[in-house]
Amino acid sequence: LFIGIGLMQQGLAPFEGSVTPKDFPSDTLFGRFQLVLLGIVITLITQSSSAGVAAALVALAAGTISFPQAAAMVIGMDVGTTFTTFIATIGGSTAMRQTGYAHVVYNVLTGIMAFMLLGPFSAAVGVWIASGGIGNAQISLVAFHTMFNTLGVILVLPLSRPFAQLITRLVPEREPLLLQRLDERLLSDTAASVDALAATIQDISDHLLGVLADLLDPLKRAQVDESRLAAVNEALQGSRGFLEKISTDPAIQNAHARHLASMHALDHLGRLSHRCTQERRIELLDADPRLRRLSAQLQGIVRSLWRRDDQESAENRLNRFSEQLHSKRHVYREQIIESAAHQRIGTQDTLNRLDSIRWLDRVAHHLERILSYLHRALDHVENETKSIVVPSDTEEE
């Protein structure tokens, strides 16, 4: 870098004396504003603020420009970097455009702050620069550049929440909320596309857990809006479309394993979403004391998973519940059929109760598989080489 700056200084040597600060806008408020615009133009041409700052340092060392002029240009160069970011966001996802706008707004606000500090800072370092020490002007310019960038970060950090709210107002969501992470530009990077898909599956899973928890609660069941399940199904359809465009190389074991896990998790989410539409089977859980107790137990587990209250403990409870329910289901089936044989309950009531215990069993199974596959899909360990063993997932209607 310094060799390059040295060569640039040698290249500017023939212009020493022929180009002076008088050839640039004067050190007035309007002149500084013109220099800021010049800095923006230089960055747009070079597509690099670093190259522009290096050129300003060289010009300052050669005496071509004065310190206030160089500082004003550096402010413009910092603002000019936002142009490339802005262009990159065109046609991107909401999250991408929000990030790009945040970069633009932040840099513009930092540039305004730096412009206001330019006068006081120039006055503070003026005597030191005038002393004629070698490199004093360049060190002062670097210090100014570092100072206003650092100060901008310090000032914006405490205001990050309102700043984020401002950006979301400027760039409102245009995609369904659950699909906002999926951007087809990520498909060029396999790891990034799998990351986005896995995170989206996590969002869909969280949303569906909230719906399921309310469906299992007799007091909240009637309040479940159909639009909540519709949002899940729309997100599942969009995720499947994104999944079809991802291609992973089996030789890259970690990415390929996460890709397969995402596929399995989406499959189980679709089946669980379908189970949530079986209102009759859910309502019949309240008709039998044993089914009511099992339903309440599962409801507590699902709500803990949704709220992320001690996630590991909730998952262990789900695994134990699933195992116990699978064995109890067969005992319950024999008892119900025995009661029907002795005409203690009617045939239709028998079939309804068998449907309900089967519903509980399958819901617990899908939850267990979703969590298992989701853990694998979200796994970022580079040395993960275990292949995914696909369990038998025969669906019983």
Side-chain angles (χ1 to χ4, degrees), residues 323-342:
E323 292 174 4
Q324 293 169 5
L325 181 59
H326 197 66
S327 60
K328 286 180 180 180
R329 172 186 159 187
H330 298 289
V331 175
Y332 179 82
R333 178 184 178 86
E334 295 300 324
Q335 292 174 345
I336 290 295
I337 292 177
E338 184 71 21
S339 296
H342 289 86

Side-chain angles (χ1 to χ4, degrees), residues 25 195 273 292 305:
D195 284 343
S273 176
R292 194 159 53 244
L305 289 169

